[in-house]
Amino acid sequence: MWYAKHHIIDRFMLNHHHELYCDKSLRYELVNFRAQRQNTRDIMRDLADTAAGIEVVHQADEEKLRKEQKRARQAARQAQKVRSLEKLVLTGDLDNLTYSQRRGLEKHLSKERMAELMEQRGIRTEQVQTSLFA
């Protein structure tokens, strides 16, 4: 994060130097440098800033939201991985799995869940066979 005034000015000049070089009559004025980092919150100042039209965002809230979103993405990836492994068990030939697929099965599916899926697979194959001969 950029908190010091000179860092903000340097970054602005870096992003707008071409405009300033090409048009000598162009002038920018940078005002209201009040960025600061605090561990405590001043509620009265936050309310005053909000009333003045300044958006108040605390870094702790941003970090908390970012971590929560990361956890949600990881959980969704994990659930997708488990679903794909379950589908592999239900539809595939377990003897021809690669090492990484076998390792994934051991890591993500419990023995009870594997037995349950194998039972479902057995029931499904019996249903398919009976429907073919009926």
Side-chain angles (χ1 to χ4, degrees), residues 76-121:
R77 265 196 321 269
Q78 184 73 17
Q80 175 61 33
K81 190 180 295 185
V82 169
R83 282 194 303 271
S84 69
L85 289 171
E86 288 177 348
K87 183 178 178 183
L88 183 68
V89 170
L90 288 173
T91 60
D93 183 17
L94 297 180
D95 296 331
N96 296 328
L97 295 179
T98 64
Y99 174 77
S100 61
Q101 290 172 330
R102 287 184 188 168
R103 182 73 179 118
L105 286 174
E106 293 171 3
K107 183 177 178 183
H108 297 292
L109 296 179
S110 65
K111 301 266 188 222
E112 296 83 21
R113 182 66 181 149
M114 283 288 294
E116 182 181 319
L117 290 171
M118 294 301 285
E119 183 179 326
Q120 287 179 6
R121 182 177 171 195

Side-chain angles (χ1 to χ4, degrees), residues 9-49:
I9 292 172
D10 290 344
R11 186 175 182 140
F12 179 83
M13 295 303 283
L14 181 67
N15 290 334
H16 294 83
H17 74 281
H18 188 271
E19 298 168 5
L20 292 169
Y21 180 76
C22 291
D23 188 3
K24 299 292 182 182
S25 65
L26 187 62
R27 298 284 182 245
Y28 286 107
E29 182 180 356
L30 302 175
V31 295
N32 196 9
F33 296 96
R34 288 188 15 201
Q36 62 183 358
R37 185 174 183 169
Q38 292 180 342
N39 291 335
T40 60
R41 299 179 187 199
D42 186 2
I43 295 174
M44 296 307 289
R45 184 171 182 172
D46 290 349
L47 290 173
D49 287 345

Side-chain angles (χ1 to χ4, degrees), residues 58-85:
H58 292 279
Q59 186 176 6
D61 294 338
E62 287 181 349
E63 288 177 9
K64 186 176 181 181
L65 179 64
R66 201 173 352 185
K67 286 180 183 180
E68 187 176 308
Q69 289 172 344
K70 182 178 178 181
R71 259 187 247 112
R73 285 192 310 268
Q74 287 175 341
R77 265 196 321 269
Q78 184 73 17
Q80 175 61 33
K81 190 180 295 185
V82 169
R83 282 194 303 271
S84 69
L85 289 171

